[in-house]
Amino acid sequence: MSDDLDKISITPRGMGALIAELGATDNEAAFCLRLQGHLISMVRSYTQQGYSDAEIVGFIKQIADGAAFRRHELRPIANIHHKPGHA
């Protein structure tokens, strides 16, 4: 199965959107920690692949932008309003 995953191509903005989808129900703090973990992992990956610092910064900005944009889109969907005392 990992061979199939290796064939997937996704833009940095798309990666950010995917991270937002995965954390759609996270509160803000949990989402920030999730995003931070992914960004750190991606920096390591891009560094190992030999990208320059400037390229890595560009990729990370795009990932963060994609995550923020998609998180904003998902907020009304994932935000379930609950009134105390009501099921």
Side-chain angles (χ1 to χ4, degrees), residues 18-33:
L18 177 60
I19 294 166
E21 293 276 346
L22 294 172
T25 60
D26 292 349
N27 65 33
E28 294 301 313
F31 177 73
C32 288
L33 288 174

Side-chain angles (χ1 to χ4, degrees), residues 17-47:
L18 177 60
I19 294 166
E21 293 276 346
L22 294 172
T25 60
D26 292 349
N27 65 33
E28 294 301 313
F31 177 73
C32 288
L33 288 174
R34 177 189 299 270
L35 180 58
Q36 178 187 29
H38 284 290
L39 292 176
I40 290 169
S41 175
M42 294 307 298
V43 167
R44 286 183 185 134
S45 176
Y46 290 139
T47 300

Side-chain angles (χ1 to χ4, degrees), residues 11-85:
T11 65
R13 273 187 78 85
M15 177 63 72
L18 177 60
I19 294 166
E21 293 276 346
L22 294 172
T25 60
D26 292 349
N27 65 33
E28 294 301 313
F31 177 73
C32 288
L33 288 174
R34 177 189 299 270
L35 180 58
Q36 178 187 29
H38 284 290
L39 292 176
I40 290 169
S41 175
M42 294 307 298
V43 167
R44 286 183 185 134
S45 176
Y46 290 139
T47 300
Q48 290 172 350
Q49 293 175 46
Y51 288 99
S52 71
D53 289 348
E55 289 172 313
I56 293 170
V57 168
F59 292 149
I60 296 305
K61 284 181 180 179
Q62 290 177 46
I63 293 170
D65 286 347
F69 183 81
R70 185 66 181 139
R71 177 108 171 133
H72 179 72
E73 287 182 331
L74 292 172
R75 180 161 295 155
I77 298 167
N79 194 8
I80 300 170
H81 300 284
H82 176 74
K83 293 182 182 177

